[in-house]
Amino acid sequence: QVQLVESGGGLVQAGGSLRLSCAPSRSIPNINSMGWYRQAPGKQRDLVATITKEGDTNYADSVKGRFTISSDNAKNIVYLQMNSLKPEDTAVYSCNVLSLRWGIPYNYWGQGTQVTVSS
């Protein structure tokens, strides 16, 4: 069973930066896209950013201009560079990998990493 392992979370002051990484325990075939989601206490999980295998990116409006998603397709690693962090960015961040095989989607999720931004 493939596991996604996230790293890079932590505590940072407002205005600071963090870089999240997510790597699978073994190679995942036919990756269509990778992404990051976040869930704050008492709220639903929301999309932060996604990147397709072609390199097309999509961002939540709240992070545009501050966060950058990138990937190493050869290693199936996805990164999230977070700059100018705000207290409202505090959440558990989880990575996602979507694989398509014979038209069937397979979703993989990481366990989540805590990001806390102090004011």
Side-chain angles (χ1 to χ4, degrees), residues 31-34 51-57 71 73:
I31 290 178
N32 180 264
S33 65
M34 296 184 281
I51 185 167
T52 68
K53 61 182 179 180
E54 293 84 10
D56 296 324
T57 58
S71 64
N73 289 341

PDB file of all heavy atoms in Angstrom, residues 31-34 51-57 71 73:
ATOM      1  N   ILE A  31       0.347   9.113 -12.815  1.00  0.00           N
ATOM      2  CA  ILE A  31      -0.120  10.261 -12.035  1.00  0.00           C
ATOM      3  C   ILE A  31      -0.723  11.299 -12.973  1.00  0.00           C
ATOM      4  O   ILE A  31      -0.114  11.690 -13.962  1.00  0.00           O
ATOM      5  CB  ILE A  31       1.016  10.871 -11.222  1.00  0.00           C
ATOM      6  CG1 ILE A  31       1.423   9.920 -10.092  1.00  0.00           C
ATOM      7  CG2 ILE A  31       0.603  12.225 -10.644  1.00  0.00           C
ATOM      8  CD1 ILE A  31       2.559  10.399  -9.250  1.00  0.00           C
ATOM      9  N   ASN A  32      -1.913  11.743 -12.640  1.00  0.00           N
ATOM     10  CA  ASN A  32      -2.585  12.774 -13.416  1.00  0.00           C
ATOM     11  C   ASN A  32      -2.337  14.150 -12.813  1.00  0.00           C
ATOM     12  O   ASN A  32      -2.109  15.127 -13.541  1.00  0.00           O
ATOM     13  CB  ASN A  32      -4.078  12.486 -13.481  1.00  0.00           C
ATOM     14  CG  ASN A  32      -4.845  13.508 -14.280  1.00  0.00           C
ATOM     15  OD1 ASN A  32      -5.411  14.448 -13.733  1.00  0.00           O
ATOM     16  ND2 ASN A  32      -4.854  13.361 -15.586  1.00  0.00           N
ATOM     17  N   SER A  33      -2.415  14.235 -11.500  1.00  0.00           N
ATOM     18  CA  SER A  33      -2.182  15.510 -10.827  1.00  0.00           C
ATOM     19  C   SER A  33      -1.774  15.274  -9.385  1.00  0.00           C
ATOM     20  O   SER A  33      -2.011  14.189  -8.834  1.00  0.00           O
ATOM     21  CB  SER A  33      -3.422  16.409 -10.873  1.00  0.00           C
ATOM     22  OG  SER A  33      -4.474  15.824 -10.135  1.00  0.00           O
ATOM     23  N   MET A  34      -1.177  16.297  -8.791  1.00  0.00           N
ATOM     24  CA  MET A  34      -0.818  16.279  -7.378  1.00  0.00           C
ATOM     25  C   MET A  34      -1.254  17.604  -6.776  1.00  0.00           C
ATOM     26  O   MET A  34      -1.364  18.604  -7.487  1.00  0.00           O
ATOM     27  CB  MET A  34       0.682  16.070  -7.197  1.00  0.00           C
ATOM     28  CG  MET A  34       1.175  14.725  -7.697  1.00  0.00           C
ATOM     29  SD  MET A  34       2.933  14.438  -7.385  1.00  0.00           S
ATOM     30  CE  MET A  34       3.642  15.391  -8.706  1.00  0.00           C
ATOM     31  N   ILE A  51      -1.257  20.743  -9.231  1.00  0.00           N
ATOM     32  CA  ILE A  51      -0.390  20.807 -10.402  1.00  0.00           C
ATOM     33  C   ILE A  51      -0.601  19.531 -11.206  1.00  0.00           C
ATOM     34  O   ILE A  51      -0.635  18.426 -10.652  1.00  0.00           O
ATOM     35  CB  ILE A  51       1.089  20.989 -10.004  1.00  0.00           C
ATOM     36  CG1 ILE A  51       1.967  21.174 -11.237  1.00  0.00           C
ATOM     37  CG2 ILE A  51       1.594  19.856  -9.120  1.00  0.00           C
ATOM     38  CD1 ILE A  51       3.369  21.674 -10.911  1.00  0.00           C
ATOM     39  N   THR A  52      -0.805  19.686 -12.508  1.00  0.00           N
ATOM     40  CA  THR A  52      -1.019  18.525 -13.369  1.00  0.00           C
ATOM     41  C   THR A  52       0.327  17.965 -13.820  1.00  0.00           C
ATOM     42  O   THR A  52       1.386  18.588 -13.642  1.00  0.00           O
ATOM     43  CB  THR A  52      -1.839  18.891 -14.601  1.00  0.00           C
ATOM     44  OG1 THR A  52      -1.061  19.746 -15.444  1.00  0.00           O
ATOM     45  CG2 THR A  52      -3.130  19.593 -14.208  1.00  0.00           C
ATOM     46  N   LYS A  53       0.271  16.802 -14.451  1.00  0.00           N
ATOM     47  CA  LYS A  53       1.498  16.184 -14.958  1.00  0.00           C
ATOM     48  C   LYS A  53       2.142  17.052 -16.047  1.00  0.00           C
ATOM     49  O   LYS A  53       3.347  16.951 -16.284  1.00  0.00           O
ATOM     50  CB  LYS A  53       1.207  14.794 -15.484  1.00  0.00           C
ATOM     51  CG  LYS A  53       0.219  14.751 -16.635  1.00  0.00           C
ATOM     52  CD  LYS A  53      -0.051  13.318 -17.079  1.00  0.00           C
ATOM     53  CE  LYS A  53      -1.061  13.285 -18.227  1.00  0.00           C
ATOM     54  NZ  LYS A  53      -1.333  11.905 -18.680  1.00  0.00           N
ATOM     55  N   GLU A  54       1.310  17.906 -16.684  1.00  0.00           N
ATOM     56  CA  GLU A  54       1.848  18.813 -17.706  1.00  0.00           C
ATOM     57  C   GLU A  54       2.432  20.084 -17.105  1.00  0.00           C
ATOM     58  O   GLU A  54       3.011  20.900 -17.818  1.00  0.00           O
ATOM     59  CB  GLU A  54       0.746  19.180 -18.705  1.00  0.00           C
ATOM     60  CG  GLU A  54       0.254  18.021 -19.561  1.00  0.00           C
ATOM     61  CD  GLU A  54      -0.815  17.195 -18.864  1.00  0.00           C
ATOM     62  OE1 GLU A  54      -1.309  17.631 -17.791  1.00  0.00           O
ATOM     63  OE2 GLU A  54      -1.172  16.114 -19.382  1.00  0.00           O
ATOM     64  N   GLY A  55       2.224  20.263 -15.788  1.00  0.00           N
ATOM     65  CA  GLY A  55       2.761  21.443 -15.134  1.00  0.00           C
ATOM     66  C   GLY A  55       1.779  22.586 -14.976  1.00  0.00           C
ATOM     67  O   GLY A  55       2.157  23.663 -14.490  1.00  0.00           O
ATOM     68  N   ASP A  56       0.535  22.374 -15.347  1.00  0.00           N
ATOM     69  CA  ASP A  56      -0.473  23.414 -15.158  1.00  0.00           C
ATOM     70  C   ASP A  56      -0.840  23.498 -13.678  1.00  0.00           C
ATOM     71  O   ASP A  56      -1.065  22.481 -13.029  1.00  0.00           O
ATOM     72  CB  ASP A  56      -1.721  23.101 -15.980  1.00  0.00           C
ATOM     73  CG  ASP A  56      -1.445  23.108 -17.471  1.00  0.00           C
ATOM     74  OD1 ASP A  56      -0.630  23.944 -17.919  1.00  0.00           O
ATOM     75  OD2 ASP A  56      -2.019  22.279 -18.196  1.00  0.00           O
ATOM     76  N   THR A  57      -0.930  24.711 -13.179  1.00  0.00           N
ATOM     77  CA  THR A  57      -1.189  24.918 -11.755  1.00  0.00           C
ATOM     78  C   THR A  57      -2.518  25.626 -11.526  1.00  0.00           C
ATOM     79  O   THR A  57      -3.015  26.356 -12.388  1.00  0.00           O
ATOM     80  CB  THR A  57      -0.065  25.724 -11.098  1.00  0.00           C
ATOM     81  OG1 THR A  57       0.065  26.991 -11.773  1.00  0.00           O
ATOM     82  CG2 THR A  57       1.256  24.984 -11.174  1.00  0.00           C
ATOM     83  N   SER A  71       6.613  20.336  -8.644  1.00  0.00           N
ATOM     84  CA  SER A  71       6.719  18.886  -8.529  1.00  0.00           C
ATOM     85  C   SER A  71       7.975  18.371  -9.215  1.00  0.00           C
ATOM     86  O   SER A  71       8.521  19.020 -10.108  1.00  0.00           O
ATOM     87  CB  SER A  71       5.483  18.216  -9.132  1.00  0.00           C
ATOM     88  OG  SER A  71       5.406  18.478 -10.526  1.00  0.00           O
ATOM     89  N   ASN A  73       8.434  15.213 -11.174  1.00  0.00           N
ATOM     90  CA  ASN A  73       7.653  14.106 -11.715  1.00  0.00           C
ATOM     91  C   ASN A  73       8.428  12.791 -11.710  1.00  0.00           C
ATOM     92  O   ASN A  73       7.842  11.719 -11.580  1.00  0.00           O
ATOM     93  CB  ASN A  73       7.179  14.440 -13.126  1.00  0.00           C
ATOM     94  CG  ASN A  73       6.108  15.518 -13.134  1.00  0.00           C
ATOM     95  OD1 ASN A  73       5.465  15.791 -12.125  1.00  0.00           O
ATOM     96  ND2 ASN A  73       5.922  16.157 -14.276  1.00  0.00           N
TER      97      ASN A  73
END
